[in-house]
Amino acid sequence: MKLHEYQSKELFSKYKIPIPMGIAIESSLDIASAAEHTGLPLVVKAQVLVGGRGKAGGVKVAKNLDEAKQLSADILSMKIKGIPVKKLLVEEAIDIKEEYYLAVTVDRDNKCNTLIFSSVGGIDIEEVAQKQPEQIVKLQITKSKLQSPNNLSIPDQIIESLLKLYFDLDASLAEINPLVKTKDGKFIAADAKIIIDDNALFRHPEFAGQSSETEEDEIEAQAHRRKISYVRLPGNIAVMCNGAGLTMTTMDEVKRAGGEPACFLDIGGGSRRDFVASALEIVSMDKNVKGIFFNIFGGISRCDEVVLGIISAFEKIKFSIPIVIRLTGNREKEGKELLSKTNLISADSMQDGANKIVALVK
Ligand code: GDP
Ligand code: MN
């Protein structure tokens, strides 16, 4: 679960990581009262859960109130990487002398947590990582050893606080970019990004209320509220299977057949009619979907029962797009017999099904 900058900064503040004075607003009408709080000049920052807001024009400095009003209205009407800006963080502008990068994250290759530091932080850090990897320091971190490496040119207290926050919150990322040094030598977190490990959210009821608000995609948010394992993708073929591995393999086959998946949707085990209907409702919200491919493996859940679930779900939700179903495994014959009485298109193999649905949506 990604937290917004303003939410991440509230947490920084709790952990005594210095942040600029700031306030989140949702309307440019609130800019005057925000400015009383921050003073002038101030920075207006789009609160969207994507990186590169600065380069996209979503972070701007205003010298006076008129400019602040104009900029906040402009940014609130923007979309950044397709996401509409609904909130702004208004902050006191900082007099930046140097920009550092500091983060704690998971190093999957080395199966450890890692502290990442660079003295050339800021908006071009990705480029630095690519072109000047020697400018980036990576250190393995263990939970039992939280004291900071004291050879970095930033205060130990900030490193230690960030490490503590990272472990306390079960984060998979706690990032400050840039961590700025001001002209008078103070260090302040000018940006903040925290990602909480979804699998640990049960340990953090404090984030429960935030989950829908931090969701980027309205359809994904709906699906997650319904406890459906769904990821929206840019293509036009909805891929629905029972089991995550099968769903991923099926997406690969759709691609191999020349198609583009519109989603990853794991309907899980069982044939619960209401659940399948609910999942189809989610798929129907995405107007890009031009066809559906069900790839069902009958194991403990029997093919015929899954088909009954799908058929009755279609009685509830009417679709006028092609639907291909491939069944294999337990009670496959009975399932196919049920299918033959409908206008759902049966496929003999995963490849056959992928080819059929790709041809049908063309
Ligand atoms: P990002 O582009 O989404 O990572 O957004 P950031 O919050 O990192 O802002 C982008 C850039 O704007 C930073 O790297 C800074 O150079 C600049 N910036 C952010 N806050 C301030 C500020 O208070 N004063 C000044 N002068 N620049 C700022
Ligand atoms: Mn940044």
Side-chain angles (χ1 to χ4, degrees):
M1 175 177 162
K2 293 180 190 171
L3 302 185
H4 279 291
E5 178 189 8
Y6 76 93
Q7 296 168 321
S8 304
K9 280 182 169 165
E10 276 169 25
L11 291 164
F12 278 11
S13 176
K14 275 194 193 151
Y15 281 80
K16 312 255 183 293
I17 297 170
I19 54 166
M21 184 119 61
I23 187 162
I25 63 170
E26 288 178 23
S27 159
S28 57
L29 297 173
D30 297 328
I31 193 74
S33 61
E36 278 176 29
H37 186 70
T38 63
L40 288 160
L42 56 77
V43 189
V44 184
K45 309 184 77 177
Q47 297 300 289
V48 283
L49 296 168
V50 292
R53 294 165 306 160
K55 281 187 178 166
V59 178
K60 290 269 165 68
V61 180
K63 289 187 283 298
N64 54 51
L65 203 52
D66 282 341
E67 215 173 64
K69 276 184 191 146
Q70 186 61 50
L71 284 173
S72 55
D74 289 351
I75 297 177
L76 275 171
S77 64
M78 274 175 72
K79 275 188 177 181
I80 299 183
K81 297 183 183 165
I83 299 165
V85 180
K86 293 186 187 144
K87 249 193 183 106
L88 300 174
L89 176 60
V90 182
E91 286 185 335
E92 60 172 318
I94 304 162
D95 226 349
I96 298 177
K97 188 170 160 227
E98 284 160 19
E99 295 191 323
Y100 297 86
Y101 178 94
L102 182 68
V104 192
T105 190
V106 181
D107 177 349
R108 290 179 202 281
D109 293 339
N110 296 308
K111 298 188 175 66
C112 64
N113 295 293
T114 178
L115 183 86
I116 305 174
F117 170 82
S118 178
S119 53
V120 284
I123 55 176
D124 291 319
I125 192 71
E126 283 86 5
E127 209 181 304
V128 172
Q130 252 184 12
K131 293 186 181 153
Q132 304 161 268
E134 73 283 356
Q135 296 276 22
I136 295 186
V137 180
K138 285 188 187 177
L139 298 162
Q140 288 199 6
I141 294 294
T142 58
K143 204 169 173 173
S144 57
K145 199 171 138 270
L146 276 193
Q147 68 272 46
S148 69
N150 45 20
N151 51 354
L152 305 178
S153 42
I154 54 173
D156 287 350
Q157 179 268 324
I158 292 181
I159 300 174
E160 276 155 28
S161 297
L162 194 68
L163 283 168
K164 180 154 172 39
L165 175 150
Y166 175 84
F167 287 112
D168 282 358
L169 299 179
D170 292 305
S172 58
L173 175 72
E175 182 190 77
I176 314 178
N177 184 38
L179 170 62
V180 305
K181 188 176 181 181
T182 63
K183 298 235 163 84
D184 47 13
K186 289 200 194 82
F187 284 85
I188 300 177
D191 192 9
K193 188 169 175 185
I194 297 175
I195 302 177
I196 310 290
D197 184 341
D198 286 341
N199 295 311
L201 281 175
F202 72 98
R203 287 208 288 238
H204 301 282
E206 68 269 30
F207 298 123
Q210 291 181 6
S211 58
S212 61
E213 194 201 337
T214 58
E215 212 87 48
E216 298 164 38
D217 184 296
E218 190 42 45
I219 302 180
E220 282 190 359
Q222 270 286 343
H224 295 163
R225 266 175 240 139
R226 297 175 186 205
K227 309 239 179 296
I228 297 171
S229 177
Y230 168 90
V231 181
R232 194 176 178 190
L233 297 161
N236 58 5
I237 298 170
V239 176
M240 299 177 72
C241 311
N242 53 350
L246 186 62
T247 315
M248 286 198 279
T249 310
T250 308
M251 285 168 47
D252 285 348
E253 284 303 330
V254 165
K255 285 212 101 144
R256 211 145 70 114
E260 289 295 335
C263 66
F264 165 105
L265 202 160
D266 174 10
I267 60 171
S271 59
R272 298 150 297 160
R273 174 200 159 160
D274 290 343
F275 190 81
V276 178
S278 183
L280 279 170
E281 232 169 61
I282 292 292
V283 166
S284 72
M285 289 174 196
D286 182 352
K287 299 298 166 227
N288 296 330
V289 172
K290 296 288 180 281
I292 303 175
F293 181 21
F294 280 96
N295 189 11
I296 302 299
F297 173 74
I300 295 169
S301 40
R302 297 159 26 174
C303 287
D304 54 345
E305 282 183 347
V306 177
V307 170
L308 283 176
I310 292 172
I311 291 173
S312 63
F314 277 119
E315 280 162 9
K316 221 174 131 190
I317 301 158
K318 300 271 178 265
F319 268 101
S320 52
I321 54 173
I323 293 148
V324 173
I325 305 189
R326 181 262 183 152
L327 298 170
T328 191
N330 188 9
R331 306 267 285 188
E332 174 180 330
K333 200 167 126 247
E334 290 81 353
K336 282 186 172 157
E337 240 165 65
L338 288 170
L339 272 187
S340 66
K341 299 186 190 107
T342 69
N343 49 15
L344 306 172
I345 302 150
S346 180
D348 294 327
S349 67
M350 170 153 49
Q351 288 74 15
D352 178 42
N355 288 329
K356 276 187 174 145
I357 195 66
V358 169
L360 285 163
V361 301
K362 282 252 157 80

